Amino acid sequence: MENFEKELAEVQRRLDKIKQLQKQEEEFKQQSEIRFNANLAALKKYYPDVYRQVVDYTPKPGFSLLVSESGVGNFVPKDLSVPVYSQIDPIAQVQEQVRQNVDKPLFGRAALYKKGASSADKRIHIQYMNRLSTKIADLTAESKEPLIQQLPQHFPSFLSFGIGLGYHLPMLLAEHVFDYIFLCEPDFELFYASLFCTDWGALFEIAEKNNSSMFMLIGVSYQDFFQKIIELTAAVGAFSIINSFCYQHYPSEQINQSIANFFRNFYQVQLGFGFYNDATTGLAHAVRNSRNHAHFFIKNKALKPHKGIPAFVVGNGPSLDESIELIREYQDKVIIFAAGTALQSLMNAGIKPDFHVIVERTLSVYQVLTNTTTDDMLSDMNLLSVEVVYPDTLNHYKWAGLGLKGPEASTVFMQMLHYAKTRKLLTALPFAGPLVSNTAATYACELGFEEVYLFGVDNGYPMDKSKSHSSLSIYSNEKYAGRYKPNPHAIYPLEGNLDGSVLATDFMAISKVQLDNLFLSHKEVTAYKVGSGAKLRGVTPLAIDDVIISSRCKDKKWVVERIKSDFFHKSEVSEQDEKLLAFKEFDNLVAYLLEIGNRQIHSRKDAADVLKAQSRVVFSYKDSVSAHLFHVVKGTLLYFHCPLITLLYTYENDEQTLAWFKESFAIWMEFLQAIRSDFPENWYNRCESKLWVPPAAEPAKSQ
């Protein structure tokens, strides 16, 4: 009898539990539907693009949320057989996860600058950057100050790898303030499920109240994740990600690969800022080139004088040797773009390209050109370049066509000026850097070639580093080998085009990504990468023996002349036009930056707020009528602000940190004073200096 009563009590307990669960499920269903609709309204207000994705999304058949024993939602993602959280109490589980991450945080931060080498280069940017790097190194190199061990109440950036159902976000944002918040969730269905579980509207309001910038990367694969980060940091500034609290919310292969890609490629965030003297000489060169009979590129999709004719884009990588006979065979049936020193390699092989492509604005690169070519070689050659190219370069060629490099001060200035005069837009070349092969490939696509072959565009050295360039190049010539050495530094492995791998420098790796983006964005172009080198997305790998070209080119000379006349037009900047350089507005901008910099600083948050205020003032010019001023200041601002942010949130001691910060920040303020008078006086000066290499960009350091 006693056993029967126990069994009966157990049955009753189970029935009560089932009733309780049914009640919880019904309550959750009602609440989750209300929450979902409220979240839709919040997304529509704050993130209309995400809102449209959600509205257009159709969940998979059988989509449903689980209700845990504690009454909150849970979910089983695709490709998994278990839910994201414990079915007992997801909130308690996440609270413990948050506590562990706050107590022992993982910080992804750029390394502080090393001591700057003394330089005879008198450019303002170089002099002040050397002073900054030396100052930071002197202050911190031998320091025994302990590093930050726990997540402070205020921290520059928060990067959440995986959102799950979002339960960790209210907990973190209730206790911590971040200037920039990056929320990354590759599984769109999981984010969709979170709309039933988390009050996203409340999170958006917290971010708005704290003056935080929140970015949502939803449904982005790990292959595209880092590129999205690059695009976001380009829009708001690299300081937004340079010192981040990194949080992995749940384990998954996609999340793990995204994290690995983030830290492996972090160096890219620290490159390609441009800088003050780059911007001013770019403006000077663009104006000078406009007055030197240059023709500017204007895209016209309707014009197809080269229809049915392939384009050969030739770089000077080691794989060019494999292809030289094939290029020679087809040279009369295709249009050949020679990138940089590939010109000399092709000419050494008896092949005359139709266009020579060069890009650099520096005097030193111009000197390489004049030292490795002859007037006879160039005087009958067509040049394709960009508006910032060293002005004397144009004098050596029969004809010169210039595209707008972008993003550059000179690009937006020329676009604004041309539009004011003609109501037509001068086309900026997309993905045209950082290397000359990027510019050549961009020209081929933007000119409307539908079939593009890449030769010697390798973006990497063989794994044994046995060769860096074609054996036909100037780097193999005894006369120049000692004077113009190629960069041997290559530490980044990239997947090979046909097999194996290649080793890339940082700029080669970025060049490869830019080529990926170029061809992925030009779906109408059928592109082939021929031979060895790095594999490209959106491009078909092709062995030499598999190249079969059917060309309808009957009069190549006529086609080249039509390309020049159809796509390039003169656009000259007069002295009267120079008033649009807005020197008075520049003075107002710098004056305001100095005013902000003189605000009282009593805490790290105060210092961070000053940096954020300065950066937002500069970035507010990005889409203004004086957008060129944004580019004049932006690059050096990033080179200063990024290490200052790292310095501000690396060491435990508040007093010592603020003292170091103020000493370093003072150099930035002096720089602003210097350019206030320099820009209106010296903007028209040509570049007379060598190519500047920024302070060493290291992988993100985690703690």
Side-chain angles (χ1 to χ4, degrees), residues 343-345 347-348 352-353 356 369 372-382 396-398:
L343 169 69
Q344 292 91 325
S345 298
M347 297 292 277
N348 286 338
K352 182 181 178 182
H356 184 210
L369 174 71
T372 59
T373 59
T374 64
D375 288 340
D376 289 342
M377 184 185 296
L378 300 180
S379 61
D380 195 37
M381 184 74 62
N382 299 305
H396 295 272
Y397 292 82
K398 174 176 67 175

Side-chain angles (χ1 to χ4, degrees), residues 168-444:
H168 62 306
L169 299 176
M171 301 176 193
L172 281 166
L173 298 189
E175 301 295 331
H176 301 275
V177 175
F178 305 97
D179 294 323
Y180 300 93
I181 301 168
F182 297 86
L183 304 179
C184 315
E185 179 50 70
D187 186 346
F188 192 89
E189 183 182 57
L190 189 50
F191 170 72
Y192 184 84
S194 78
L195 299 177
F196 295 91
C197 302
T198 293
D199 185 353
W200 281 96
L203 296 177
F204 302 154
E205 289 171 3
I206 291 173
E208 188 174 52
K209 177 184 176 182
N210 293 334
N211 198 24
S212 303
S213 299
M214 181 183 288
F215 304 97
M216 304 182 73
L217 288 80
I218 310 299
V220 178
S221 68
Y222 76 89
Q223 294 100 327
D224 296 322
F225 165 72
F226 194 79
Q227 180 59 31
K228 293 295 182 183
I229 290 288
I230 288 289
E231 291 171 4
L232 285 173
T233 56
V236 299
F239 41 73
S240 62
I241 199 75
I242 213 76
N243 201 354
S244 295
F245 166 52
C246 299
Y247 189 113
Q248 181 174 2
H249 185 47
Y250 67 91
S252 81
E253 185 62 25
Q254 280 262 23
I255 296 294
N256 293 341
Q257 289 175 318
S258 293
I259 294 172
N261 280 350
F262 175 78
F263 283 101
R264 182 167 57 246
N265 294 306
F266 188 79
Y267 66 91
Q268 295 184 31
V269 176
Q270 307 168 73
L271 294 172
F273 295 161
F275 57 96
Y276 170 74
N277 298 98
D278 236 14
T280 57
T281 55
L283 280 168
H285 291 185
V287 173
R288 287 173 178 270
N289 287 329
S290 79
R291 297 169 179 172
N292 193 22
H293 313 298
H295 298 75
F296 287 82
F297 173 60
I298 298 179
K299 187 173 182 178
N300 191 330
K301 293 182 179 180
L303 298 175
K304 292 284 185 180
H306 44 58
K307 188 170 181 62
I309 303 173
F312 279 12
V313 175
V314 183
N316 203 20
S319 74
L320 177 58
D321 292 348
E322 308 166 25
S323 309
I324 202 71
E325 291 303 322
L326 186 145
I327 298 172
R328 194 196 318 274
E329 177 184 352
Y330 287 107
Q331 63 177 314
D332 295 329
K333 298 295 184 183
V334 301
I335 303 300
I336 301 175
F337 298 81
T341 55
L343 169 69
Q344 292 91 325
S345 298
L346 290 173
M347 297 292 277
N348 286 338
I351 301 169
K352 182 181 178 182
D354 302 290
F355 295 100
H356 184 210
V357 185
I358 55 178
V359 294
E360 291 293 350
R361 76 196 74 198
T362 57
L363 171 62
S364 58
V365 175
Y366 168 72
Q367 291 171 334
V368 171
L369 174 71
T370 57
N371 287 337
T372 59
T373 59
T374 64
D375 288 340
D376 289 342
M377 184 185 296
L378 300 180
S379 61
D380 195 37
M381 184 74 62
N382 299 305
L383 171 69
L384 286 179
S385 190
V386 289
E387 83 279 14
V388 301
V389 70
Y390 194 79
D392 290 359
T393 305
L394 277 60
N395 300 330
H396 295 272
Y397 292 82
K398 174 176 67 175
W399 175 92
L402 305 180
L404 299 185
K405 185 173 183 286
E408 290 270 353
S410 52
T411 293
V412 295
F413 178 73
M414 293 296 293
Q415 285 180 322
M416 180 269 293
L417 184 60
H418 188 78
Y419 185 79
K421 290 181 176 181
T422 69
R423 290 297 183 265
K424 294 180 180 178
L425 184 65
L426 274 178
T427 311
L429 300 172
F431 312 112
L435 302 181
V436 65
S437 57
N438 296 94
T439 311
T442 296
Y443 263 121

Side-chain angles (χ1 to χ4, degrees), residues 418-487:
H418 188 78
Y419 185 79
K421 290 181 176 181
T422 69
R423 290 297 183 265
K424 294 180 180 178
L425 184 65
L426 274 178
T427 311
L429 300 172
F431 312 112
L435 302 181
V436 65
S437 57
N438 296 94
T439 311
T442 296
Y443 263 121
C445 292
E446 291 293 286
L447 284 168
F449 284 90
E450 297 171 347
E451 190 176 350
V452 176
Y453 293 80
L454 306 176
F455 301 94
V457 182
D458 292 356
N459 297 119
Y461 306 151
M463 293 298 288
D464 60 3
K465 298 186 181 179
S466 57
K467 294 181 67 176
S468 62
H469 291 83
S470 165
S471 60
L472 294 165
S473 78
I474 59 171
Y475 302 115
S476 300
N477 188 311
E478 290 183 4
K479 181 179 179 181
Y480 304 116
R483 294 178 61 189
Y484 305 119
K485 293 181 180 180
N487 182 358

Side-chain angles (χ1 to χ4, degrees), residues 12 46 144 149 247 296 322 364 371 388 443 476 481 488 502 608 624 630 633 636:
Q12 185 62 48
Y46 290 98
K144 305 298 185 191
Q149 297 300 317
Y247 189 113
F296 287 82
E322 308 166 25
S364 58
N371 287 337
V388 301
Y443 263 121
S476 300
V502 297
S624 74
F630 160 73
V633 180
T636 303

Side-chain angles (χ1 to χ4, degrees), residues 51-86:
Y51 166 77
R52 286 189 287 271
Q53 286 181 273
V54 172
V55 170
D56 293 341
Y57 180 71
T58 302
K60 67 182 180 183
F63 171 88
S64 65
L65 287 120
L66 307 175
V67 180
S68 66
E69 292 182 14
S70 61
V72 301
N74 208 344
F75 188 69
V76 180
K78 61 184 179 182
D79 303 325
L80 291 181
S81 57
V82 295
V84 178
Y85 309 99
S86 160

Side-chain angles (χ1 to χ4, degrees), residues 689-702:
S689 303
K690 295 181 179 180
L691 182 66
W692 179 68
V693 178
E698 299 182 21
K701 292 183 182 281
S702 58

